[in-house]
Amino acid sequence: MMEGLLGPYEERLRQQETKIKSLTSEIEILRSFPFVGDSPSLEGLREENSKLKYRLNILRKSIQEEKNKSVKSMLNINAHLQEIFGRAIRAAYPELENAPLAVTPNQQLKFGDYQCNSAMAMTQMLKARDQKVNPREIAEKIVKNLPNNDLIEKTDIAGPGFINVHLRKDFISKQLSKLLVNGVQPPVIGERKKVVVDFSSPNIAKEMHVGHLRSTIIGDSICRLFEFLGHDVLRLNHLGDWGTQFGMLIAHLQDKFPNYVSVSPPIGDLQSFYKESKKRFDEDEEFKKRAYQCVVQLQSKRPDIIKAWNLICDVSRNEFQKIYDCLDIRIVNRGESYYQDLMIQVVKEFEEKGLVQVDEGRKIVFPPGCTIPLTIEKSDGGFTYDTSDLAALRQRLKVEKGDILIYVVDSGQGIHLQNVYSAGRMIGWYDATVTRVEHAGFGVVLGEDKKKFKTRSGDTVRLIDLLEEGLKRSMDKLKDKERDKVLTPEELVAAQRAVAFGCIKYADLSHNRMNDYIFSFDKMLDDRGNTAAYLLYAFTRIRSIARLANISDEVLQKAAQETEITLQHEKEWKLSKCILRFPEILLKILDDLLLHTLCDYLYELSTTFTEFYDNCYCVEKDRQTGQIVKVNMARMLLCDATAAVMAKGFDILGLKPVQRM
């Protein structure tokens, strides 16, 4: 690492080093305190002595943790190169503020490994200053000012001013060894933040359908990414568990199960129960009046009505949990009901700051830059979704102390959420330059007819039916390949679930979330192309290489510490660079929340590995006897590194690979 480098990556490392120095200084200060002996007359000082020793141990542990993070973290090579070129550009052209910095992987190996494309954009900036220079001259000046570093072997200038960068093989080899010894560790990202992710969010008394699938899958993967990178993540399920629809449900419950307070009613099919109550609500005026009365009683928290509401919510939550268990989703249920008491404070706060207008009895707020107002209180004194969402935003900022808030909600809610965020900024709940509040929107799921995904009868597709169909088709696919003849029954079921649920997740995540996508079991279960089926099969094949060569994990771990990975073959070199791009991919997704980038990367890694394996012998066998003649341990380590990165990528996407498939 170069001294004096002030790029974003180096700055994060410097922050860590500063923290370590600060902790060390604190230890020295504490050491200057006299530690008192065991004199019984000095009880208070002995207690203080004990506290100081405890604090010392905590501080020492903190220092060691900070050092371990820096030592073990995977290096973001692209960011490292940007630091190097950023320093060169500042040295070459100190008069240019915020000079463009563009470093990307080179698509053609013959031109090098990375490319700096800043010279062309800098030409325009200098021309605006009446300086007549061409991009090639700028590129030459940048190269002359490159600082000494341990990463770049050589550079050359191509075309009008592209700077081709060739990396040092020994540096890449060391990074691979570090990965193999320490495992796949997150890159250094600086301060740990509190991240609140709002996702899934079905409605009580309604079954989860395919529309909830995208929010659930995307939200879970975003959580997994932030968790891997070391942040403190709160996974929130903003359930629709409050509102006028509960009046009709409770009234119907009273009629159908009058003794519900003492005997738990057997509501097996809550969807049918909802349809029955809705039909009565639409057709029976007397029932409708009772339903509205139940809403009032619910809002006033009458015990028997709260009991009915809890019964209905419990049935729904149990059904939702079956879905979450299948998809391996962890989530904290916190419905709209949680924020009811907080809404009064929200309205009061907006009124006290003079931000409320009254329109025909309604209390409305016009956030800056928004043409549609938020209704924070209806003319009858009731609250709205606007009030609920504002209360949730306030709670997540003020109580949860969220540094990053992400709402994984369909794109159709974009305008509404932007209004809510704008109102939050207007009232001073957060500063957008400090706190990140973002809508991770997504498109709709389409059927193979390219229309909104429905059943043949036109109903919304139930999510549980979709998952069961996936399990059936997955087993059919495995049996077609005669995997049932080589796998134990337990291994077969594990493979079935890995393929079924993995394919459903991956089919969603591998598409840009902003776009609609076509749901097709045939495509997602295809073991060719960029699918989970292909990647899961590829992973098990890579893992099997060492097993078939009788090389244990212990042997691989020992080799990782002792064997130099020389990277002489061009396919070894290509694979090694692909493996080490993993941190770069993750930090890009951290910014744009587009998970298909990780899917594309894993597919590229898998195909790059295939090229390597087809051209580079890892295990040589006698053609006559099949006996192992030679094992190339350096190449076996490349296999192991590939599998390790793939496994971590799968984990972030929520896929569960199996050892045998």
Side-chain angles (χ1 to χ4, degrees), residues 271-335:
Q271 185 81 348
S272 297
F273 189 85
Y274 180 88
K275 288 179 179 178
E276 289 169 12
S277 65
K278 183 71 168 70
K279 188 172 187 295
R280 291 183 68 190
F281 185 83
D282 292 339
E283 297 174 359
D284 185 340
E285 279 300 318
E286 191 59 37
F287 179 80
K288 183 182 281 192
K289 286 179 185 176
R290 282 182 48 226
Y292 281 128
Q293 287 172 358
C294 287
V295 173
V296 174
Q297 291 162 351
L298 177 63
Q299 290 171 343
S300 62
K301 299 184 179 176
R302 205 174 93 179
D304 60 323
I305 300 297
I306 289 291
K307 168 82 172 176
W309 173 74
N310 276 323
L311 283 169
I312 293 164
C313 290
D314 286 346
V315 172
S316 268
R317 283 193 290 261
N318 289 338
E319 290 303 309
F320 298 156
Q321 194 57 47
K322 292 176 184 176
I323 303 286
Y324 297 140
D325 288 345
C326 282
L327 296 175
D328 192 27
I329 307 292
R330 292 180 294 104
I331 196 163
V332 176
N333 292 320
R334 186 179 291 173

Side-chain angles (χ1 to χ4, degrees), residues 395-406:
Q395 195 273 342
R396 293 165 188 180
L397 291 165
K398 302 295 185 183
V399 180
E400 302 297 345
K401 306 293 185 186
D403 301 300
I404 301 173
L405 272 55
I406 298 170

Side-chain angles (χ1 to χ4, degrees), residues 137-238:
E137 289 174 9
I138 295 173
E140 288 170 353
K141 196 170 180 181
I142 292 171
V143 168
K144 284 179 183 176
N145 281 277
L146 285 172
N148 292 331
N149 62 84
D150 51 3
L151 178 56
I152 298 173
E153 177 73 35
K154 66 173 183 175
T155 60
D156 54 65
I157 299 169
F162 299 108
I163 304 173
N164 291 322
V165 179
H166 302 260
L167 302 179
R168 290 179 55 167
K169 284 187 167 61
D170 61 339
F171 181 87
I172 296 300
S173 176
K174 286 174 185 174
Q175 295 301 314
L176 285 169
S177 295
K178 179 176 158 185
L179 182 159
L180 288 159
V181 169
N182 298 317
V184 181
Q185 300 293 327
V188 174
I189 57 166
E191 187 182 351
R192 188 173 191 244
K193 294 186 181 296
K194 178 65 178 285
V195 183
V196 181
V197 184
D198 175 329
F199 69 107
S200 194
S201 306
N203 291 312
I204 294 293
K206 294 182 181 178
E207 289 186 289
M208 289 180 75
H209 55 75
V210 72
H212 297 115
L213 184 65
R214 298 209 75 184
S215 177
T216 304
I217 290 171
I218 295 167
D220 176 59
S221 194
I222 287 172
C223 290
R224 287 169 179 267
L225 173 63
F226 276 93
E227 286 161 351
F228 172 63
L229 292 172
H231 294 299
D232 176 15
V233 179
L234 174 60
R235 300 157 158 260
L236 283 186
N237 198 5
H238 190 69

Side-chain angles (χ1 to χ4, degrees), residues 66-114:
E66 295 297 330
K67 286 181 177 177
N68 289 343
K69 281 182 190 175
S70 297
V71 170
K72 293 182 178 180
S73 294
M74 287 186 73
L75 179 69
N76 182 344
I77 291 173
N78 194 317
H80 198 11
L81 286 169
Q82 287 188 37
E83 290 159 13
I84 294 169
F85 278 94
R87 187 177 177 189
I89 289 168
R90 286 191 295 274
Y93 296 94
E95 71 275 19
L96 284 184
E97 290 186 12
N98 301 316
L101 184 58
V103 179
T104 58
N106 223 323
Q107 299 304 311
Q108 298 186 55
L109 289 176
K110 63 181 179 180
F111 295 129
D113 306 309
Y114 281 81

